Amino acid sequence: MIWGEMLLDREVHTACGSDMMSDVLAFVKDQSVLLTGLCNMQAIRTAEMMDIICIVFVRGKVPDEAMIQLAREREIVLLSSGHRMFSACGLLYEKGLRGGAPYR
Amino acid sequence: MINYITLTYQVSGDDFTRAGEASSDVKSKLKQMGVSPEMVRKVAISMYEGEINMVIHAHGGIIKVTISPHEILMVLEDQGPGIPDVEKAMQAGYSTAPENIRSLGFGAGMGLPNMKKYTDEMDIKTKIGVGTTVTMKVKL
C-alpha cells in the first residue's frame, strides 16, 4: 500500500492490465483498477483521464514522489505488488474481479 | 449553466512527464461546470491521446478547446513532420513511434483510433514538413 488507506472502502467493478496506456485508454468502465508495470507520470495521468480509482504497480515497481503527489490530488489509490502481471491479474480474477466487455 | 469559453494551451515538446497537464486542466474545468462524467471522460481521453501525440511526434503544439452549451470543440495544431499516410495511421495497432516511446507506455498504435472512438467528429489536416491540425468534436 503506497497511498490511499482512507479510500479502501471504495468498490471496484472491473480491472484492466497493461503496460501500454493507449490499450488502457481504449477501455472504459466505471470504478476500475489498473494493473501496470509502467511506472511513470503517464500511468497516473491515464488513470486520471479514465476515472480509474486504483493502480496496482506490478513486478515490484514503486512510484516516485511526484507520481504519489498527483495520485493524492486525484484521489487514486496506489498499490505495489511483487507479483508479475499475469499472477497479479490472476489473483484478482480468482477473487471475482472481471475485465469487462471485449474490445470492439 | 455553460457559457462559451475558449481555453488555449501551449504544449511543450520536450518534457514527457508533463504531457497530459492540458487535458487534466480541461477535465477538471468541465467537471466543475457540471458536464456529465461520461462526456468529461470522452473529452479527456481524446484530448490526452492528442496531447501525447503532439509531444511524441511533433515537439509540442497548441491546443484550443471551445466549450459551448451543445458541444466541446478541440483543435490541436502542431508544426511537426506531418502524417504521411493518414488512413494507415488510423488503423488500430499501426504505429511509427520509436522504441523508447513504447517503454514510456505509448506507441501501441491506438492513439488516433481511440480519438476517433471517443469523439463524434474528427478531422485531420496534415502536410508533410509543415504540420498537422486535428479537430475533434464531442456533442453534449
Side-chain angles (χ1 to χ4, degrees), chain A residues 18-32 37-52 64 70 73-74 102-104, chain B residues 15-21 23-25 27-28 31 37 40-41 44-45 48-49 51-52 92 101-111 113-114 117-118:
Chain A
S18 182
D19 291 353
M20 298 304 270
M21 292 302 107
S22 285
D23 284 340
V24 180
L25 289 159
F27 150 110
V28 169
K29 277 280 174 238
D30 266 335
Q31 315 225 151
S32 287
L38 181 75
C39 198
N40 66 18
M41 279 299 256
Q42 301 312 327
I44 316 280
R45 286 276 178 224
T46 298
E48 176 193 359
M49 301 307 160
M50 302 285 294
D51 298 319
I52 282 170
D64 65 20
L70 182 61
E73 285 166 21
R74 303 297 185 251
Y103 181 74
R104 274 161 292 148
Chain B
D15 193 354
F16 187 74
T17 58
R18 292 190 56 193
E21 283 184 2
S23 307
S24 172
D25 189 65
K27 185 171 195 257
S28 59
K31 223 166 145 185
V40 174
R41 196 151 55 190
I45 295 171
Y48 178 55
E49 288 278 20
E51 190 178 348
I52 291 282
I101 294 301
R102 288 172 181 269
S103 65
L104 295 171
F106 288 88
M110 294 305 291
N114 278 350
K117 181 180 166 187
Y118 291 116

Side-chain angles (χ1 to χ4, degrees), chain A residues 84-95:
Chain A
R84 287 159 198 255
M85 178 68 91
F86 182 80
S87 309
C89 291
L91 285 169
L92 295 178
Y93 196 93
E94 204 177 41
K95 294 287 180 195

Side-chain angles (χ1 to χ4, degrees), chain B residues 8 19 26 39 50 62 86 89 112:
Chain B
T8 305
V26 168
M39 294 301 158
I62 291 169
V86 175
L112 290 172

